[in-house]
Amino acid sequence: MKNITDSFLSLGYWASAGSFGFNTDILATNPINLSVVLGVLIFFGKGVLSDLLDNRKQRILKTIRNSEELREGAIQQLEKARARLRKVEKEANQFRVNGYSEIEREKLKLINSIDTTLEQLENYKNETIHLEEQRAINQVRQRVFQQALQGALGTLNSCLNTELHLRTISANIAMFGAMKEIK
Protein backbone atom coordinates (compact mmCIF):
# COMPACT_ATOMS: atom_id res chain seq x y z
CA MET A 1 0.00 0.00 0.00
CA LYS A 2 2.87 2.17 0.62
CA ASN A 3 3.88 1.64 -2.95
CA ILE A 4 0.64 3.08 -4.28
CA THR A 5 0.83 6.17 -2.12
CA ASP A 6 4.46 6.63 -3.03
CA SER A 7 3.64 6.44 -6.70
CA PHE A 8 0.89 9.10 -6.32
CA LEU A 9 3.29 11.29 -4.41
CA SER A 10 6.03 10.78 -6.88
CA LEU A 11 3.79 11.60 -9.80
CA GLY A 12 2.95 14.89 -8.22
CA TYR A 13 -0.77 14.40 -7.92
CA TRP A 14 -0.68 15.15 -4.27
CA ALA A 15 2.23 17.31 -3.82
CA SER A 16 1.11 18.57 -0.46
CA ALA A 17 0.02 15.19 0.81
CA GLY A 18 2.83 15.01 3.20
CA SER A 19 1.30 17.62 5.41
CA PHE A 20 -2.27 17.97 6.66
CA GLY A 21 -3.91 21.39 6.63
CA PHE A 22 -7.02 23.39 5.88
CA ASN A 23 -7.70 24.80 2.51
CA THR A 24 -9.00 28.27 3.07
CA ASP A 25 -10.13 28.77 -0.50
CA ILE A 26 -13.90 28.61 -0.01
CA LEU A 27 -14.79 28.72 -3.65
CA ALA A 28 -12.64 25.69 -4.43
CA THR A 29 -13.61 23.52 -1.45
CA ASN A 30 -17.41 24.12 -1.12
CA PRO A 31 -18.53 22.67 -4.44
CA ILE A 32 -16.35 19.61 -3.82
CA ASN A 33 -17.66 19.18 -0.27
CA LEU A 34 -21.24 19.78 -1.38
CA SER A 35 -20.96 17.31 -4.21
CA VAL A 36 -19.49 14.69 -1.86
CA VAL A 37 -22.19 15.31 0.78
CA LEU A 38 -24.91 15.30 -1.84
CA GLY A 39 -23.54 12.13 -3.38
CA VAL A 40 -23.44 10.37 0.00
CA LEU A 41 -26.93 11.65 0.86
CA ILE A 42 -28.32 10.55 -2.46
CA PHE A 43 -26.60 7.18 -2.33
CA PHE A 44 -27.53 6.33 1.26
CA GLY A 45 -30.62 8.50 1.67
CA LYS A 46 -32.26 7.40 -1.56
CA GLY A 47 -33.61 4.21 0.00
CA VAL A 48 -34.73 5.88 3.20
CA LEU A 49 -36.33 8.74 1.31
CA SER A 50 -37.91 6.30 -1.12
CA ASP A 51 -39.30 4.25 1.81
CA LEU A 52 -40.60 7.40 3.50
CA LEU A 53 -42.24 8.55 0.27
CA ASP A 54 -43.69 5.06 -0.37
CA ASN A 55 -45.08 4.91 3.18
CA ARG A 56 -46.50 8.40 2.78
CA LYS A 57 -47.97 7.42 -0.60
CA GLN A 58 -49.49 4.25 0.90
CA ARG A 59 -51.01 6.21 3.79
CA ILE A 60 -52.42 8.79 1.38
CA LEU A 61 -53.85 6.06 -0.85
CA LYS A 62 -55.28 4.26 2.19
CA THR A 63 -56.82 7.50 3.41
CA ILE A 64 -58.27 8.12 -0.05
CA ARG A 65 -59.68 4.56 -0.18
CA ASN A 66 -61.14 4.97 3.30
CA SER A 67 -62.60 8.32 2.29
CA GLU A 68 -64.07 6.76 -0.86
CA GLU A 69 -65.56 3.90 1.18
CA LEU A 70 -66.96 6.37 3.72
CA ARG A 71 -68.29 8.48 0.87
CA GLU A 72 -69.96 5.43 -0.70
CA GLY A 73 -71.39 4.48 2.69
CA ALA A 74 -72.63 8.03 3.19
CA ILE A 75 -74.19 8.03 -0.29
CA GLN A 76 -75.93 4.73 0.48
CA GLN A 77 -77.17 6.05 3.81
CA LEU A 78 -78.32 9.23 2.08
CA GLU A 79 -80.22 7.18 -0.52
CA LYS A 80 -81.77 5.06 2.25
CA ALA A 81 -82.72 8.21 4.14
CA ARG A 82 -84.22 9.73 0.99
CA ALA A 83 -86.17 6.52 0.35
CA ARG A 84 -87.42 6.54 3.95
CA LEU A 85 -88.31 10.22 3.59
CA ARG A 86 -90.28 9.52 0.41
CA LYS A 87 -92.05 6.63 2.15
CA VAL A 88 -92.85 8.76 5.20
CA GLU A 89 -94.07 11.59 2.95
CA LYS A 90 -96.34 9.15 1.08
CA GLU A 91 -97.68 7.82 4.38
CA ALA A 92 -98.17 11.36 5.68
CA ASN A 93 -100.04 12.30 2.50
CA GLN A 94 -102.13 9.14 2.82
CA PHE A 95 -102.89 9.96 6.47
CA ARG A 96 -103.72 13.51 5.47
CA VAL A 97 -106.05 12.33 2.67
CA ASN A 98 -107.60 9.71 4.96
CA GLY A 99 -107.91 12.29 7.70
CA TYR A 100 -109.62 14.76 5.38
CA SER A 101 -112.00 12.09 4.09
CA GLU A 102 -112.67 10.94 7.66
CA ILE A 103 -113.33 14.54 8.65
CA GLU A 104 -115.70 14.92 5.70
CA ARG A 105 -117.52 11.70 6.66
CA GLU A 106 -117.82 12.84 10.27
CA LYS A 107 -118.98 16.26 9.11
CA LEU A 108 -121.68 14.67 6.91
CA LYS A 109 -122.74 12.39 9.78
CA LEU A 110 -122.98 15.39 12.08
CA ILE A 111 -124.94 17.39 9.51
CA ASN A 112 -127.31 14.46 8.96
CA SER A 113 -127.69 13.99 12.70
CA ILE A 114 -128.41 17.69 13.17
CA ASP A 115 -130.91 17.60 10.29
CA THR A 116 -132.65 14.61 11.87
CA THR A 117 -132.69 16.33 15.26
CA LEU A 118 -134.06 19.52 13.68
CA GLU A 119 -136.78 17.51 11.92
CA GLN A 120 -137.72 15.83 15.19
CA LEU A 121 -137.79 19.18 16.96
CA GLU A 122 -139.92 20.63 14.18
CA ASN A 123 -142.31 17.66 14.50
CA TYR A 124 -142.44 18.06 18.28
CA LYS A 125 -143.08 21.77 17.84
CA ASN A 126 -145.87 21.12 15.35
CA GLU A 127 -147.41 18.47 17.61
CA THR A 128 -147.16 20.81 20.59
CA ILE A 129 -148.79 23.61 18.61
CA HIS A 130 -151.54 21.25 17.43
CA LEU A 131 -152.15 20.00 20.98
CA GLU A 132 -152.23 23.56 22.32
CA GLU A 133 -154.67 24.52 19.56
CA GLN A 134 -156.88 21.53 20.43
CA ARG A 135 -156.74 22.41 24.11
CA ALA A 136 -157.58 26.05 23.37
CA ILE A 137 -160.46 24.95 21.11
CA ASN A 138 -161.73 22.58 23.81
CA GLN A 139 -161.53 25.35 26.42
CA VAL A 140 -163.45 27.70 24.13
CA ARG A 141 -166.04 24.96 23.45
CA GLN A 142 -166.43 24.30 27.16
CA ARG A 143 -166.91 27.99 27.89
CA VAL A 144 -169.36 28.39 25.01
CA PHE A 145 -171.20 25.25 26.15
CA GLN A 146 -171.29 26.48 29.75
CA GLN A 147 -172.52 29.89 28.68
CA ALA A 148 -175.13 28.33 26.38
CA LEU A 149 -176.19 25.99 29.17
CA GLN A 150 -176.40 28.82 31.66
CA GLY A 151 -178.36 30.85 29.09
CA ALA A 152 -180.73 27.94 28.43
CA LEU A 153 -181.16 27.28 32.14
CA GLY A 154 -181.82 30.96 32.70
CA THR A 155 -184.38 30.98 29.89
CA LEU A 156 -185.98 27.80 31.14
CA ASN A 157 -186.08 29.04 34.71
CA SER A 158 -187.61 32.32 33.65
CA CYS A 159 -190.14 30.67 31.31
CA LEU A 160 -191.13 27.68 33.40
CA ASN A 161 -193.55 27.91 36.10
CA THR A 162 -194.16 25.19 38.64
CA GLU A 163 -196.92 23.46 36.73
CA LEU A 164 -194.97 23.35 33.48
CA HIS A 165 -192.00 22.18 35.38
CA LEU A 166 -193.87 19.27 36.92
CA ARG A 167 -195.34 18.24 33.58
CA THR A 168 -191.86 18.22 31.98
CA ILE A 169 -190.53 16.05 34.78
CA SER A 170 -193.45 13.65 34.44
CA ALA A 171 -192.99 13.42 30.70
CA ASN A 172 -189.33 12.66 31.13
CA ILE A 173 -190.04 10.00 33.74
CA ALA A 174 -192.61 8.43 31.42
CA MET A 175 -190.08 8.44 28.66
CA PHE A 176 -187.56 6.67 30.87
CA GLY A 177 -190.18 4.15 31.93
CA ALA A 178 -191.02 3.39 28.30
CA MET A 179 -187.39 2.88 27.57
CA LYS A 180 -187.10 0.47 30.46
CA GLU A 181 -189.97 -1.58 29.11
CA ILE A 182 -188.41 -1.74 25.69
CA LYS A 183 -185.27 -3.17 27.12
Side-chain angles (χ1 to χ4, degrees), residues 144-160 165:
V144 168
F145 179 71
Q146 283 176 355
Q147 286 177 356
L149 189 59
Q150 284 176 355
L153 284 175
T155 304
L156 280 177
N157 284 335
S158 65
C159 292
L160 286 179
H165 191 61

Side-chain angles (χ1 to χ4, degrees), residues 158-175:
S158 65
C159 292
L160 286 179
N161 56 17
T162 313
E163 182 186 331
L164 187 60
H165 191 61
L166 288 173
R167 270 192 300 169
T168 306
I169 291 174
S170 297
N172 283 336
I173 290 174
M175 216 167 43

Side-chain angles (χ1 to χ4, degrees), residues 9 14-20:
L9 289 175
W14 290 355
S16 62
S19 69
F20 183 75

Side-chain angles (χ1 to χ4, degrees), residues 39-56:
V40 168
L41 280 177
I42 289 173
F43 181 76
F44 290 112
K46 181 171 83 172
V48 172
L49 186 61
S50 173
D51 288 344
L52 286 174
L53 290 176
D54 284 342
N55 287 341
R56 178 72 176 157

